[in-house]
Amino acid sequence: MPKDGSTFANGYTKRHEAERKRWKPKVDAGLVNCWRCGQWLDPAQPWDLGHDDQDRTKYRGPECIACNRGAGARASNAKRGYLPRVNRQW
Ligand SMILES: [Zn+2]
């Protein structure tokens, strides 16, 4: 990773990295559960630092990849006005 010459989203990246570093020892020790679904975070598996859905400037803590992708999909679906519909009539 280049240390200089790169200013892209630098403030965000630094804060994100600092927060990840704060959590990493705990995840590595197997002490952290995903804040969204409560699933235990396996230190051998990748994890993401989750944002608050209401306030993207706030970090909520580590979350599993499935929840992180799910949250992103839900947000973009909402932006597109997508509403799931069930047409089956049992
Ligand atoms: Zn999760």
Side-chain angles (χ1 to χ4, degrees):
M1 210 169 164
K3 285 270 179 230
D4 18 66
S6 170
T7 52
F8 175 72
N10 220 11
Y12 171 83
T13 306
K14 276 200 183 125
R15 221 161 70 81
H16 195 89
E17 285 305 307
E19 191 69 11
R20 267 194 81 100
K21 263 188 205 140
R22 212 165 65 78
W23 281 104
K24 193 173 183 302
K26 290 178 191 158
V27 177
D28 284 349
L31 298 172
V32 183
N33 289 43
C34 168
W35 74 268
R36 280 185 198 277
C37 69
Q39 186 188 290
W40 177 66
L41 292 168
D42 185 340
Q45 299 295 318
W47 53 276
D48 278 312
L49 187 58
H51 288 96
D52 190 292
D53 284 339
Q54 267 72 51
D55 185 350
R56 298 289 294 172
T57 65
K58 282 194 193 129
Y59 292 114
R60 293 297 302 262
E63 66 186 22
C64 66
I65 295 291
C67 280
N68 190 267
R69 298 216 174 124
R74 274 196 303 276
S76 61
N77 282 343
K79 262 180 220 146
R80 283 198 299 269
Y82 171 79
L83 290 170
R85 286 182 63 178
V86 179
N87 290 320
R88 284 184 302 185
Q89 296 174 4
W90 298 114

